[in-house]
Amino acid sequence: MTSKLETHVPAAPPQPGTAPQPTPPSAAALAQREARRQRHEVLLAQWKAVEEAGGKDEWVRQQLVARGVAAEEVDFEELSEKQKAAWKEKKKAEAGERRKLEREVWEAWKATHINHLGVGVHWDEQGGPDKFDVPHREERAKANGMPALDSAEALAKALGVPVARLRWFAFHREVDTGTHYQSWQIPKRDGGQRTITAPKKELKAAQRWVLSNVVERLPVHGAAHGFVAGRSILTNALAHRGADVLVKVDVKDFFPSVTWRRVKGLLRKGGLEEHAATLLSLLSTEAPREVMQFRGKTLYVAKGPRALPQGAPTSPAITNALCLKLDKRVSAMAKRLGFTYTRYADDLTFSWKRAKGAKGKAQADAPVALLLARVKSILEAEGFTLHPDKTRVLRKGTRQRVTGLVVNEAPNGVPAARVPRDVIRRLRAAIHNREKGKPGREGESLDQLKGMAAFIHMTDPAKGRAFLQQLEALEKRGQP
């Protein structure tokens, strides 16, 4: 297929670090949406009538009779030539009307059924139990608080969309003419670029329902601190304060490693049946795509398998639930070696403290090499890869940072986990320059400075509050 692509045009993201601003729907778009809703209601009513009639053939027969186009059965030999010609015309008209009615039935059926979700996706319209269900599936679903989603129609109703819309969201194509996502890049701390792929408004609303009603009800290990209620970068950092040795490990391609099939397996293990698990896993994933032009058309070509997009509201919580076994194994292993373990998304942190009264080199050294070897082994067994260039070992004499916060042992009165001083100095200087009427740095906005102040407020409320008050005063003066 690549040889047929005449022109390659890379995607044109907005300015780095900024998300595309949503455009409010036009009057024409709203009218189209209402027409689509009304059409869906008509199709639902039509399929209900087909079912009540006893199926497609019986409904079509009844409609032919009601419309007066049904050709009665006759003894053809007893008809005159004129009667034969008239009967043939009526039969021809009946055949034409039958084809129209059958098309109507097909449209009504598609409005209430999935039928197909793309090449490589298994879909059985009948549904029901199968050999891949977990033992006592219904009890497992109830224990996890899973909603009753025994059909595509039930899921569509829960999401507040027609079945056809649900199919459109979930359908997989290797080459598509449109996309449910928008992408842009933000700078990484190492100087590179991170691609954020976020769902558009309608799909995002569906994913938020999935997040709150399904994914967040799955069990998560206590070592997970990212995107978990009651936990944060602060709780993650505080677990490692005052460590003698800090070991930081990063998982390579964390979100892209979680394919839609892995998500489906997670949901089935959580108690959902085949239909719901298939649809929800497809709703929550997307293939990385490249934008190309071919014969005047814009095409979105898949560059890899469908996986969790970094920017979807469901992605972090899915990885937390998926990593339950990983966190159990790593936590148990770390404890045996004397380490404390936490995970914030793809960042694994281990801290080690020398036992009180320990003497001698054998008792004073942390088994870092053994720890790293076992972490690598467990990650690979759980379907992940240790990033070879992002392992850091930080000892007591150096500045130890965990999820952006300094956790070195601090004197009384200083927060146990605190924002680095260079960040505070940078914010103080930015506020001072603006108070003097000087422009901010290129790309620096008041909202970004507020974010820095809120970051400081999390660990030092008094200092953070003072910065926020200064920024509010600048905002009242009309500072951008």
Side-chain angles (χ1 to χ4, degrees):
M1 179 174 59
T2 308
S3 61
K4 294 182 181 179
L5 296 171
E6 296 163 347
T7 311
H8 169 260
V9 180
Q15 292 298 317
T18 61
Q21 296 301 309
T23 303
S26 63
L30 291 173
Q32 187 180 39
R33 191 178 300 171
E34 176 60 20
R36 192 165 57 233
R37 187 194 66 79
Q38 293 177 3
R39 172 64 174 162
H40 177 66
E41 292 297 327
V42 170
L43 292 171
L44 285 180
Q46 193 166 21
W47 181 252
K48 185 178 180 181
V50 170
E51 289 184 316
E52 290 174 349
K56 180 191 77 171
D57 293 339
E58 183 59 25
W59 182 83
V60 169
R61 188 194 67 77
Q62 292 176 9
Q63 290 297 311
L64 291 172
V65 172
R67 299 179 188 191
V69 294
E72 298 177 359
E73 291 301 321
V74 297
D75 188 347
F76 202 67
E77 296 298 327
E78 294 183 1
L79 298 180
S80 65
E81 290 302 318
K82 186 176 181 179
Q83 288 172 326
K84 288 179 180 178
W87 187 85
K88 286 179 180 178
E89 284 299 318
K90 190 168 186 179
K91 200 67 176 175
K92 185 177 179 181
E94 178 192 303
E97 192 67 20
R98 182 183 295 276
R99 286 193 294 271
K100 286 171 58 179
L101 290 168
E102 287 175 348
R103 282 197 296 270
E104 288 180 22
V105 173
W106 172 241
E107 290 300 319
W109 189 88
K110 286 198 300 181
T112 52
H113 298 74
I114 294 296
N115 185 43
H116 184 52
L117 286 169
V119 176
V121 180
H122 169 72
W123 181 260
D124 177 8
E125 198 63 46
Q126 297 302 315
D130 66 23
K131 64 180 181 180
F132 296 108
D133 283 335
V134 293
H136 311 293
R137 184 195 66 77
E138 292 180 354
E139 289 84 350
R140 176 78 63 87
K142 187 176 180 180
N144 286 332
M146 294 287 110
L149 302 172
D150 57 355
S151 67
E153 193 172 359
L155 176 57
K157 186 177 181 181
L159 293 174
V161 298
V163 171
R165 206 71 172 168
L166 174 59
R167 181 175 58 243
W168 182 56
F169 286 147
F171 203 96
H172 176 71
R173 291 183 177 88
E174 288 296 309
V175 179
D176 209 341
T177 55
T179 176
H180 297 298
Y181 291 82
Q182 49 192 350
S183 298
W184 67 94
Q185 291 185 323
I186 59 173
K188 294 167 68 175
R189 280 184 297 180
D190 61 6
Q193 295 289 322
R194 187 188 306 278
T195 300
I196 303 298
T197 304
K200 294 177 182 177
K201 185 177 180 181
E202 279 190 273
L203 180 57
K204 182 180 284 186
Q207 289 180 347
R208 283 176 174 160
W209 184 94
V210 176
L211 175 65
S212 60
N213 291 279
V214 178
V215 180
E216 287 185 337
R217 299 184 181 189
L218 296 170
V220 173
H221 195 270
H225 286 257
F227 311 96
V228 178
R231 303 176 204 171
S232 64
I233 60 173
L234 178 58
T235 62
N236 186 58
L238 286 172
H240 305 285
R241 59 188 183 275
D244 289 297
V245 179
L246 191 73
V247 181
K248 298 166 66 176
V249 168
D250 188 89
V251 179
K252 185 177 181 181
D253 298 328
F254 187 53
F255 288 108
S257 298
V258 183
T259 62
W260 76 270
R261 287 185 173 85
R262 293 184 72 178
V263 177
K264 179 179 176 178
L266 168 72
L267 296 176
R268 297 208 68 176
K269 188 177 179 182
L272 292 183
E273 63 175 34
E274 166 78 14
H275 273 186
T278 298
L279 288 166
L280 292 176
S281 61
L282 291 168
L283 276 178
S284 305
T285 56
E286 170 62 323
R289 295 187 181 271
E290 196 160 358
V291 184
M292 297 185 177
Q293 296 293 330
F294 177 58
R295 295 179 181 173
K297 290 184 179 180
T298 301
L299 300 178
Y300 297 83
V301 182
K303 300 190 295 181
R306 198 175 182 104
L308 293 179
Q310 188 160 352
T314 42
S315 294
I318 287 174
T319 57
N320 279 340
L322 188 72
C323 287
L324 176 61
K325 185 180 176 184
L326 168 71
D327 289 334
K328 283 181 178 178
R329 294 182 64 184
V330 174
S331 183
M333 177 274 297
K335 188 176 181 180
R336 286 195 299 270
L337 296 179
F339 287 86
T340 298
Y341 162 68
T342 65
R343 181 180 57 80
Y344 193 97
D346 58 348
D347 293 326
L348 282 61
T349 306
F350 302 86
S351 58
W352 181 88
K353 292 182 180 179
R354 184 177 292 105
K356 291 182 179 179
K359 296 180 180 179
K361 180 176 173 54
Q363 292 178 300
D365 283 355
V368 174
L370 181 58
L371 172 80
L372 292 175
R374 291 186 178 177
V375 168
K376 182 175 184 292
S377 177
I378 293 173
L379 282 172
E380 289 174 353
E382 296 298 324
F384 295 102
T385 304
L386 179 73
H387 200 300
D389 303 322
K390 292 192 176 181
T391 298
R392 299 287 182 271
V393 179
L394 305 169
R395 300 190 181 273
K396 195 171 184 176
T398 60
R399 187 168 70 169
Q400 299 171 331
R401 288 175 62 166
V402 178
T403 46
L405 300 174
V406 178
V407 295
N408 295 78
E409 193 171 327
N412 292 335
V414 177
R418 52 210 178 272
V419 176
R421 281 177 289 185
D422 58 321
V423 174
I424 297 173
R425 284 196 294 266
R426 191 162 68 248
L427 177 59
R428 186 179 286 121
I431 293 174
H432 177 76
N433 287 337
R434 285 170 182 261
E435 287 176 338
K436 295 296 183 182
K438 297 179 182 179
R441 293 182 179 182
E442 185 178 353
E444 180 187 84
S445 68
L446 207 59
D447 283 341
Q448 288 175 323
L449 298 182
K450 283 183 179 180
M452 292 172 67
F455 184 45
I456 295 168
H457 184 273
M458 181 175 57
T459 60
D460 192 336
K463 188 174 292 184
R465 194 178 302 114
F467 283 134
L468 286 169
Q469 288 171 351
Q470 288 179 283
L471 290 167
E472 286 171 5
L474 288 171
E475 192 172 37
K476 288 178 181 177
R477 284 167 45 183
Q479 281 273 6

